[in-house]
Amino acid sequence: MSTLESTAPSRATNRNQRLWMYATMVQSRHFEALVKVAYLEGKQPLFNMAKGPIPGEMHLSDGQEPCAVGVCAHLRPGDAVTATHRPHHIAIAKGVDLKAMAAEIFGKKAGLSGGRGGHMHLFDPAVNFACSGIVAQGLGPAVGSALAAKLRDASDIAVAFLGEGAANQGAFHEALNLAAVWQAPVVFVIEDNAYGISVAKRDCTAVESNAIRAAGYGMPGVHVPGNDADRILAAAGEAVARARAGGGPTLIEIETTRLEGHFMGDAEGYRPAGEVEALKARDPIPAYRARLLAEGFEAEALDRAAGAAIAEVDAAFVFARRADYPAPEEVFEHVFAGEGASQ
Amino acid sequence: MSTLESTAPSRATNRNQRLWMYATMVQSRHFEALVKVAYLEGKQPLFNMAKGPIPGEMHLSDGQEPCAVGVCAHLRPGDAVTATHRPHHIAIAKGVDLKAMAAEIFGKKAGLSGGRGGHMHLFDPAVNFACSGIVAQGLGPAVGSALAAKLRDASDIAVAFLGEGAANQGAFHEALNLAAVWQAPVVFVIEDNAYGISVAKRDCTAVESNAIRAAGYGMPGVHVPGNDADRILAAAGEAVARARAGGGPTLIEIETTRLEGHFMGDAEGYRPAGEVEALKARDPIPAYRARLLAEGFEAEALDRAAGAAIAEVDAAFVFARRADYPAPEEVFEHVFAGEGASQ
Amino acid sequence: MTTATTTTRRLTIAKAMSEALAQEMARDPSVLVMGEDIGKLGGVFGATQGLLDRFGPERVRDTPISETAFMGAAVGLAASGMRPVAELMFVDFFGVCMDAIYNLAAKQNYFSGGKVSCPMVIMTSVGGGYGDGGQHSQCLYATFAHLPGLKVVIPSNARDAKGLMLSAIRDDNPVVFMFHKALQGMGWLGTVQRSITDVPEADYTTPIGVAAVVREGTDVTLVGLGLTVHLALDAAAALAKTGVSAEVVDLRTVSPLDRATIRASAAKTGRLVVIDDDYMSFGVSAEVIATVCEHGGARLRSPPMRIAYPDIPVPFTPVMEHFVLPNAEKVVAAVQAMLEAAP
Amino acid sequence: MTTATTTTRRLTIAKAMSEALAQEMARDPSVLVMGEDIGKLGGVFGATQGLLDRFGPERVRDTPISETAFMGAAVGLAASGMRPVAELMFVDFFGVCMDAIYNLAAKQNYFSGGKVSCPMVIMTSVGGGYGDGGQHSQCLYATFAHLPGLKVVIPSNARDAKGLMLSAIRDDNPVVFMFHKALQGMGWLGTVQRSITDVPEADYTTPIGVAAVVREGTDVTLVGLGLTVHLALDAAAALAKTGVSAEVVDLRTVSPLDRATIRASAAKTGRLVVIDDDYMSFGVSAEVIATVCEHGGARLRSPPMRIAYPDIPVPFTPVMEHFVLPNAEKVVAAVQAMLEAAP
Ligand SMILES: Cc1ncc(C[n+]2csc(CCOP(=O)(O)OP(=O)(O)O)c2C)c(N)n1
Ligand SMILES: Cc1ncc(C[n+]2csc(CCOP(=O)(O)OP(=O)(O)O)c2C)c(N)n1
Ligand SMILES: [Mg+2]
Ligand SMILES: [Mg+2]
């Protein structure tokens, strides 16, 4: 099968879906904004990553929201999603509980896993969401979840998100081949933000678009330019429908933009001068808003939806900040399922 | 770049080269015949793999000789070759010392590594030959050897052999991409014998020909049908010349045949009835002999070359059988380079 | 532990494993088996014999040579309510897929705060002694036992093999089931006859995490696992002839380690010899010795000893390999030296 | 060991590493560096700062996220006369490329009977304590030390870091150079100030395989490595105030382990506490204890103790993580308990 350039209509038909996409992008961006604020608190001296209410690495998703909403617009709670070290936008679009997610990022007892996981390890079985900090290692589990759905004759599917840098990892190749051999209902979604940490895609990937690699697995490969939620919606819609209908896996590569550093604290010296400014000028959220307005959406409707989304985030952060830390001894719980604490 | 069907002339021009190819195929087959005899000695009771003069697994290459000679005909001692768990034919075509190789397989002190390696771990730095028992793990080292040649501005290249089953391993993907990004002078040669142990290619590989996967790395992919030494010679010639000229890597997939079991002792219950017989009827060595005769080679010349090649093998086995075992204490030598024995 | 009905059937470990798998697949539709050559071939080491015929290709899946993908898929299946059993053909291959095992499977329950368990079994062959060379003869018990979140079992006989396999499948956590090639009962590998035992046809479990005193004694404790239990039993029989009474502990599980049984036996006999065919340093023997010697352990009359495979790759040639493998004579000599030094 | 000229320059471990690399690259054209983000970015942990500018992209190679391929390539480069230094960004990622490390690099010299050595360095960051979660905070010393054919070093300070790096590059064998994030001297990670030391500008080596007594004492031996050396030193200082004289041993190398120094110190003080931030079981602490307690070791006055990270995944939230990490207070308490039980 050959690579397809996404030729989706730029004008989607479902009004509610697009309103949801807009509001969810705003929600995700606002979530990251509050993470940023909290993360920077107390990082003393000298930006010490160990300090403050949110320690450790922090990978923000600003600019990549269209990928999350365009794909997740098609998903149901029963569909599994595996995300990466940069998971917030996807988690939010998949419907992960915002309060528990925020609390997890703050390391609180009320967090998704009681503070054991942190921002790279968000698990919410209520909506079948998981993520992993090892590049490309979410792909195998997605194929497994997809097979499980197929074996129980459900129409559930799985979606694995990955970065364009992850497409050079062996797990990518193995998982795509396995998915194709099993005809598993899974969609592989590459968020191509042009960098893996500091290394530009063109310096480490032998082809311009990873979509072409789909041919090596006999599956459709779709390239979606423009970081455009509507085009992503359309491309993902086809892939999801194919998977649900038993038509097997699809590979989608989306051109998107990383508006922040790889992680917080990244000096970004590897970026050409002016790149970030240029990317910010093409920020997909205001652009989407402008398009919706141009198509006749009322500003008030947009603001109302966005406002509600933002309020949810605010409430989640209030909840997370006020929540209690776990007792230290709880560290020994859940090492093994169905057993007490380990020591 | 698109996949190329090898359109090589079936009639190569270099007489000596083809005589060498014929004789070397005969030599390889005779080597395996003597391995078989020795391997079966003393495998008592009940085919106990631990017993006899050659213990352990034994992977024979009968039927795959055209791949080895067609590729190695273009290689010089300075070119590196990494082979697999099924390495004899390639080692022989690359010019590995026959006596030391046979002695290694018998576990003798005069073996390539004094009996430490065995049949899956043949190293002969004189001709830059190495192999590994882990599927697809020879590819990374081949890329490294190729880069080393490039860095020292030599026209040496590297060739990595692998099975069609190995093309589903992550290392394959990573190594091809890395070779392409580095424009390393390396040729990847897949010997497609249709099986990885008992699993048929069609049951585990999402595409019919792995040559198509080359497009995912922006490198030429060539499919060579027919298990035909001359066509392989031509396809490999182009790839080797490209690599030597700085044109980067190539992927070649050769349709070949495994005339024996995966390893000795394999009951081959997974093969369709009659398959082995049909394959043996298309044995590439008599076919090649017939072609050469038809093209005017004299039977006597062929027999002379083959006879000499066989005599070399016979001498190597006499040497290997007569050679001494190492002293047990030598087991502690060579764990680390430049140091005495470890304990 | 369910008490089993008596029977006089004698099975090999291979047959005991496949019987356990078949019984559990019949009982629990969520169990499925996958790996390389586990279908048509019935497993290179016979652990899945008859399963494909009985349960069909949906539940008995021959995979591509893609350990990363299928181990990852097992994690996704386990997260989705299935109970996959995945075979890693040789433990030596762990290096191509360890991330999925130790960073995904082993940590899923913890990262999710107990919300997403990972009930899966990884069965894998270990051990050398039959001349298969350094990439097919390793044990690596400690490699797995060192990493939290995994349970690791290794049966020394068929009865335990069936009971441990049923426990492993029913456990809600990832269990690494290591079976030793020298005990597997495949004719072509040679088999320690004592590993072939009576095996109840009924359903029964052998508890994970519980060692067994397989021979009682008063003068010295010999601790072994898998194959080395048999070396210890042979040594104990030889020592008995010289009036020395050796107690033999079969660890059965290395993680979690049954420290109480080890300490109790060491306290009783006052002497400790550990026998391990894995690499010595940072291995099982050190952990057992530390368990006994450390604060809270047991008092010994003599310094403990370890007889383990040395810190060198496994050589191919039998004269070297058997020189360094542990055996009963080395155990007897160690015990005698210990008794002479401090009677 | 070359004796170094005195200097008062104080460097971080990161700077000491990059200085060693730069000096050796200038001296030896066969040295090259590769890994993810080691070029333009200078290494996520600063170990390759300035190298790209000085030595250019041929010798300082940013790689794709393809650890299997580039570790394998390093093996091929090493076999071809180069001395590659490859960075595995976090040791936690070993699972995606361990085969190339432990089955290729570690065994090449042995499998080739000493004919093909493997001079390469794998440098990798270890350790937690800064809230980076369970896939970015592990130590895994024992995972590497257990496998033969690798040397494994871990410096506790900048002076040793430079000397060990120069030794590692010049060693004809694969050396795993583990640097602890809490000692690296990157402002954003927080750094134990004692790790920042004077570092001679001159060329000097610190021998691999030799531990250092970094504080002399008479009552108890505290054994540490990397970060835990500083915990031991802090504990020793606190104990000194209570009249207890603690000797501190910095292992510096875990493979090969300097058993003589460990035993000599333990024999001298008669008491042993091992401090390790890797998982406890089957770890460094057990090996050190076994080394002292086993036959041929040393006599102790009290049972030894180990203070190690428990056998659980590393939690994200600091209240849990710091509860389980070793620290100086735990060491002091252990020593006091030991002295109380047997003064
Ligand atoms: C196997 C592995 N190698 C390296 C890393 C370190 N790492 C974390 S994120 C990252 C870059 C990933 O790039 P990409 O896949 O493009 O995702 P992005 O960060 O751009 O979202 C790297 C190298 C890792 N986590 N896992
Ligand atoms: C990583 C890894 N997985 C599995 C194996 C076991 N194994 C050895 S050879 C083989 C089949 C290889 O098939 P292919 O690559 O087609 O080579 P062929 O044997 O046909 O020459 C397998 C699965 C291995 N050696 N390494
Ligand atoms: Mg990216
Ligand atoms: Mg094959």
Side-chain angles (χ1 to χ4, degrees):
Chain A
M1 254 164 274
S2 64
T3 306
L4 315 169
E5 192 71 7
S6 163
T7 53
S10 68
R11 181 170 308 215
T13 44
N14 188 327
R15 213 186 126 81
N16 286 341
Q17 202 168 38
R18 297 177 79 208
L19 198 59
W20 175 86
M21 290 205 296
Y22 172 67
T24 304
M25 289 199 287
V26 170
Q27 182 169 65
S28 178
R29 183 68 60 88
H30 187 62
F31 191 94
E32 299 298 49
L34 296 198
V35 167
K36 243 178 270 187
V37 169
Y39 187 80
L40 290 172
E41 289 168 14
K43 288 277 176 296
Q44 298 300 331
L46 283 168
F47 190 74
N48 184 337
M49 196 178 261
K51 304 288 177 173
I54 306 179
E57 290 174 74
M58 179 48 63
H59 311 87
L60 298 175
S61 59
D62 300 46
Q64 302 187 192
E65 299 88 351
C67 311
V69 300
V71 173
C72 293
H74 301 289
L75 303 183
R76 316 180 297 219
D79 297 324
V81 165
T82 62
T84 68
H85 57 285
R86 196 181 304 288
H88 299 169
H89 57 316
I90 305 167
I92 289 170
K94 186 64 176 45
V96 169
D97 185 88
L98 277 184
K99 284 185 169 142
M101 176 174 157
E104 183 64 29
I105 293 170
F106 279 86
K108 300 297 182 73
K109 187 173 164 68
L112 287 166
S113 66
R116 289 174 191 79
H119 119 97
M120 285 190 270
H121 307 289
L122 306 170
F123 281 77
D124 189 350
V127 294
N128 263 309
F129 180 86
C131 54
S132 166
I134 308 295
V135 160
Q137 285 290 335
L139 277 66
V143 176
S145 292
L147 178 63
K150 186 175 169 174
L151 289 175
R152 66 172 180 260
D153 263 332
S155 63
D156 296 332
I157 68 156
V159 177
F161 283 85
L162 63 149
E164 89 298 332
N168 294 323
Q169 180 76 201
F172 169 84
H173 175 69
E174 293 192 7
L176 267 74
N177 182 63
L178 190 64
V181 167
W182 283 352
Q183 284 293 293
V186 55
V187 183
F188 300 98
V189 178
I190 300 177
E191 297 182 79
D192 173 10
N193 62 9
Y195 290 97
I197 309 188
S198 71
V199 180
K201 184 185 191 189
R202 68 180 164 280
D203 294 334
C204 66
T205 304
V207 287
E208 227 176 279
S209 164
N210 279 302
I212 183 182
R213 291 181 167 174
Y217 314 100
M219 69 173 75
V222 186
H223 178 245
V224 187
N227 204 21
D228 175 339
D230 287 331
R231 292 179 79 162
I232 297 165
L233 182 74
E238 284 174 30
V240 168
R242 181 180 306 120
R244 284 205 206 290
T250 303
L251 174 66
I252 298 176
E253 182 165 68
I254 302 168
E255 271 179 26
T256 186
T257 58
R258 197 188 78 198
L259 299 181
E260 295 289 334
H262 169 71
F263 50 25
M264 287 194 70
D266 181 354
E268 298 183 71
Y270 52 84
R271 296 240 211 199
E275 179 175 279
V276 177
E277 295 67 28
L279 294 180
K280 286 194 172 157
R282 301 196 275 116
D283 188 325
I285 300 182
Y288 198 61
R289 183 185 167 88
R291 180 188 298 161
L292 293 187
L293 288 174
E295 288 179 18
F297 279 79
E298 281 167 25
E300 209 224 303
L302 296 179
D303 291 342
R304 201 172 337 109
I310 285 172
E312 262 178 49
V313 171
D314 289 340
F317 273 72
V318 168
F319 171 83
R321 283 182 180 270
R322 286 195 189 145
D324 292 329
Y325 286 103
E329 300 75 25
E330 291 177 40
V331 70
F332 295 110
E333 293 169 13
H334 304 308
V335 177
F336 289 112
E339 294 173 19
S342 299
Q343 170 77 64
Chain B
M1 254 162 275
S2 62
T3 305
L4 315 168
E5 191 72 8
S6 165
T7 55
S10 70
R11 181 171 308 219
T13 44
N14 188 326
R15 214 186 126 81
N16 286 341
Q17 203 168 39
R18 297 176 80 208
L19 198 58
W20 174 84
M21 292 203 296
Y22 172 66
T24 304
M25 290 199 288
V26 171
Q27 182 169 63
S28 179
R29 183 68 62 87
H30 188 61
F31 191 95
E32 301 297 50
L34 296 200
V35 167
K36 242 178 271 186
V37 170
Y39 187 81
L40 290 173
E41 289 168 15
K43 288 276 176 296
Q44 300 298 333
L46 284 169
F47 190 73
N48 184 337
M49 195 178 262
K51 303 288 177 172
I54 306 178
E57 290 174 75
M58 178 49 62
H59 311 87
L60 298 175
S61 59
D62 301 45
Q64 302 188 192
E65 299 88 350
C67 311
V69 300
V71 173
C72 294
H74 301 288
L75 303 184
R76 315 180 299 218
D79 297 324
V81 164
T82 62
T84 68
H85 57 285
R86 196 182 303 288
H88 299 169
H89 56 316
I90 305 166
I92 289 170
K94 186 64 176 46
V96 169
D97 185 89
L98 277 185
K99 283 185 170 141
M101 176 174 157
E104 183 63 30
I105 294 170
F106 278 87
K108 300 296 181 73
K109 187 174 165 67
L112 286 166
S113 67
R116 288 173 192 79
H119 119 97
M120 284 191 270
H121 306 292
L122 305 172
F123 282 78
D124 187 351
V127 294
N128 264 309
F129 181 85
C131 55
S132 166
I134 307 295
V135 160
Q137 285 290 334
L139 277 64
V143 176
S145 293
L147 179 63
K150 185 175 170 176
L151 289 174
R152 65 173 182 259
D153 262 334
S155 63
D156 295 332
I157 68 157
V159 177
F161 283 85
L162 64 149
E164 90 298 332
N168 294 324
Q169 179 77 200
F172 169 84
H173 177 68
E174 294 193 7
L176 267 73
N177 183 62
L178 190 64
V181 167
W182 284 352
Q183 284 294 293
V186 54
V187 183
F188 300 98
V189 177
I190 301 176
E191 296 182 79
D192 172 11
N193 62 10
Y195 289 98
I197 309 188
S198 71
V199 181
K201 185 185 189 189
R202 69 181 163 280
D203 293 334
C204 66
T205 304
V207 287
E208 226 175 281
S209 165
N210 280 301
I212 183 182
R213 291 181 167 174
Y217 314 100
M219 70 173 76
V222 186
H223 178 246
V224 187
N227 203 21
D228 175 339
D230 288 330
R231 292 179 79 163
I232 297 165
L233 182 75
E238 282 174 31
V240 168
R242 182 181 307 119
R244 284 205 207 287
T250 303
L251 175 66
I252 298 176
E253 183 165 69
I254 302 168
E255 273 179 25
T256 186
T257 58
R258 197 188 78 199
L259 299 181
E260 295 289 333
H262 169 70
F263 50 26
M264 287 193 71
D266 181 356
E268 297 181 73
Y270 51 84
R271 297 239 210 200
E275 179 176 279
V276 177
E277 294 68 28
L279 294 180
K280 286 194 173 158
R282 301 197 275 115
D283 188 327
I285 300 182
Y288 198 60
R289 182 185 167 87
R291 182 188 297 161
L292 293 186
L293 288 175
E295 288 178 18
F297 280 77
E298 282 167 23
E300 209 223 302
L302 296 179
D303 290 343
R304 202 171 337 109
I310 285 173
E312 262 178 50
V313 170
D314 288 339
F317 274 73
V318 169
F319 172 83
R321 283 184 181 267
R322 286 196 189 146
D324 291 330
Y325 286 103
E329 301 75 25
E330 291 177 40
V331 71
F332 295 110
E333 292 169 15
H334 304 306
V335 177
F336 289 112
E339 294 172 21
S342 298
Q343 172 75 68
Chain C
M1 181 174 172
T2 324
T3 320
T5 53
T6 331
T7 164
T8 53
R9 265 184 346 149
R10 296 176 64 75
L11 298 188
T12 61
I13 290 185
K15 290 256 191 259
M17 288 172 70
S18 53
E19 179 169 294
L21 286 165
Q23 286 181 0
E24 197 62 5
M25 290 181 80
R27 201 186 70 85
D28 180 351
S30 66
V31 178
L32 85 177
V33 182
M34 60 193 189
E36 293 150 22
D37 307 284
I38 58 90
K40 280 191 194 163
L41 197 75
V44 168
F45 301 107
T48 55
Q49 286 165 62
L51 299 184
L52 177 64
D53 284 349
R54 184 149 167 217
F55 299 101
E58 290 287 297
R59 293 182 68 195
V60 182
R61 298 184 162 253
D62 272 331
T63 62
I65 310 175
S66 306
E67 289 86 355
T68 290
F70 75 72
M71 287 295 169
V75 174
L77 283 157
S80 308
M82 304 294 289
R83 291 186 175 268
V85 178
E87 179 166 284
L88 178 65
M89 192 187 290
F90 288 74
V91 76
D92 311 67
F93 310 157
F94 88 98
V96 305
C97 62
M98 194 59 171
D99 193 77
I101 297 172
Y102 103 104
N103 261 337
L104 296 182
K107 294 172 182 155
Q108 182 157 279
N109 195 69
Y110 197 75
F111 283 159
S112 68
K115 288 187 190 138
V116 186
S117 65
C118 195
M120 64 185 267
V121 179
I122 296 165
M123 54 184 186
T124 188
S125 74
V126 303
Y130 63 103
D132 214 4
Q135 291 176 341
H136 291 76
S137 302
Q138 300 171 94
C139 290
L140 307 182
Y141 311 126
T143 300
F144 285 83
H146 181 54
L147 300 166
L150 298 172
K151 300 186 180 183
V152 184
V153 303
I154 164 148
S156 67
N157 62 75
R159 192 182 175 97
D160 285 352
K162 178 170 173 184
L164 285 169
M165 179 58 83
L166 287 170
S167 288
I169 305 173
R170 291 173 195 172
D171 200 292
D172 282 335
N173 298 286
V175 179
V176 181
F177 185 105
M178 300 176 126
F179 54 93
H180 201 293
K181 282 169 271 174
L183 306 177
Q184 189 64 358
M186 303 301 276
W188 52 275
L189 279 167
T191 293
V192 175
Q193 289 304 306
R194 203 193 284 107
S195 70
I196 303 171
T197 63
D198 64 300
V199 174
E201 283 182 56
D203 181 315
Y204 67 96
T205 57
T206 302
I208 295 174
V210 180
V213 176
V214 292
R215 176 179 176 127
E216 302 216 1
T218 53
D219 297 329
V220 62
T221 295
L222 307 179
V223 174
L225 73 170
L227 173 64
T228 69
V229 172
H230 297 279
L231 308 183
L233 287 170
D234 290 345
L239 286 164
K241 294 193 189 127
T242 69
V244 176
S245 164
E247 177 146 308
V248 177
V249 175
D250 178 350
L251 291 178
R252 296 203 297 203
T253 300
V254 283
S255 182
L257 191 63
D258 181 356
R259 299 186 201 271
T261 297
I262 297 168
R263 286 172 176 157
S265 177
K268 172 181 157 193
T269 66
R271 294 190 189 84
L272 174 66
V273 176
V274 191
I275 309 124
D276 179 16
D277 51 347
D278 189 8
Y279 302 118
M280 185 187 80
S281 294
F282 305 88
V284 171
S285 58
E287 183 61 31
V288 171
I289 288 175
T291 295
V292 169
C293 293
E294 72 186 334
H295 183 80
R299 286 266 161 197
L300 294 178
R301 288 187 273 177
S302 308
M305 294 178 78
R306 41 182 168 174
I307 294 170
Y309 184 86
D311 297 330
I312 64 174
V314 182
F316 159 67
T317 193
V319 287
M320 287 180 176
E321 188 185 13
H322 288 289
F323 181 66
V324 281
L325 281 171
N327 59 37
E329 291 70 46
K330 294 181 186 179
V331 179
V332 170
V335 172
Q336 282 168 345
M338 189 181 274
L339 287 164
E340 266 165 41
Chain D
M1 180 174 173
T2 323
T3 321
T5 54
T6 332
T7 166
T8 54
R9 267 183 345 149
R10 293 176 67 74
L11 298 188
T12 61
I13 290 185
K15 291 257 192 256
M17 289 172 70
S18 52
E19 179 169 293
L21 286 165
Q23 287 182 359
E24 197 61 6
M25 290 181 80
R27 201 186 70 84
D28 180 351
S30 66
V31 178
L32 87 177
V33 181
M34 60 193 189
E36 291 150 23
D37 307 285
I38 59 91
K40 280 192 193 162
L41 197 75
V44 169
F45 302 106
T48 54
Q49 285 165 62
L51 299 184
L52 178 63
D53 285 348
R54 185 150 167 217
F55 299 101
E58 290 287 297
R59 294 182 67 196
V60 182
R61 299 184 162 254
D62 272 332
T63 61
I65 310 174
S66 305
E67 290 85 356
T68 290
F70 74 74
M71 287 295 169
V75 174
L77 283 157
S80 309
M82 304 294 289
R83 289 185 176 270
V85 178
E87 180 166 284
L88 178 65
M89 191 186 291
F90 288 73
V91 76
D92 311 68
F93 309 158
F94 89 97
V96 304
C97 61
M98 194 58 171
D99 193 76
I101 296 172
Y102 103 104
N103 262 337
L104 295 182
K107 294 171 182 155
Q108 181 157 278
N109 195 70
Y110 197 75
F111 283 159
S112 68
K115 288 188 191 137
V116 186
S117 65
C118 195
M120 64 184 267
V121 179
I122 296 166
M123 52 184 188
T124 188
S125 74
V126 303
Y130 63 103
D132 214 5
Q135 290 176 341
H136 290 77
S137 302
Q138 300 170 93
C139 292
L140 308 183
Y141 311 126
T143 300
F144 284 84
H146 180 54
L147 300 167
L150 299 172
K151 299 185 181 184
V152 184
V153 303
I154 164 146
S156 68
N157 63 75
R159 193 183 176 97
D160 284 353
K162 179 170 172 183
L164 285 170
M165 180 58 83
L166 287 170
S167 289
I169 305 173
R170 292 175 194 169
D171 201 293
D172 283 334
N173 298 287
V175 179
V176 181
F177 185 105
M178 300 178 126
F179 54 95
H180 200 293
K181 283 169 270 175
L183 306 177
Q184 189 65 357
M186 304 300 278
W188 53 275
L189 278 167
T191 293
V192 175
Q193 290 304 306
R194 203 193 285 108
S195 70
I196 303 171
T197 62
D198 65 300
V199 175
E201 284 182 56
D203 181 313
Y204 67 96
T205 57
T206 302
I208 295 173
V210 180
V213 175
V214 291
R215 176 180 175 127
E216 301 216 1
T218 53
D219 297 330
V220 61
T221 295
L222 307 179
V223 174
L225 74 171
L227 174 63
T228 69
V229 172
H230 299 279
L231 308 182
L233 287 169
D234 290 346
L239 286 165
K241 294 193 188 127
T242 69
V244 177
S245 165
E247 178 148 306
V248 177
V249 175
D250 179 351
L251 291 178
R252 295 203 297 202
T253 299
V254 284
S255 182
L257 192 62
D258 181 357
R259 299 186 202 270
T261 297
I262 297 167
R263 286 173 177 157
S265 178
K268 173 182 157 192
T269 66
R271 292 189 190 87
L272 174 67
V273 176
V274 191
I275 310 124
D276 178 16
D277 51 347
D278 189 8
Y279 302 117
M280 185 186 81
S281 295
F282 304 87
V284 171
S285 58
E287 183 61 33
V288 171
I289 288 174
T291 295
V292 169
C293 293
E294 72 186 332
H295 183 80
R299 286 264 162 200
L300 294 176
R301 288 186 274 177
S302 308
M305 294 179 77
R306 42 182 167 173
I307 293 170
Y309 185 86
D311 297 329
I312 64 174
V314 181
F316 159 68
T317 192
V319 288
M320 287 180 175
E321 188 184 14
H322 288 289
F323 181 66
V324 281
L325 281 172
N327 60 34
E329 293 69 48
K330 293 180 186 178
V331 179
V332 170
V335 172
Q336 284 168 345
M338 190 179 274
L339 287 163
E340 266 165 40

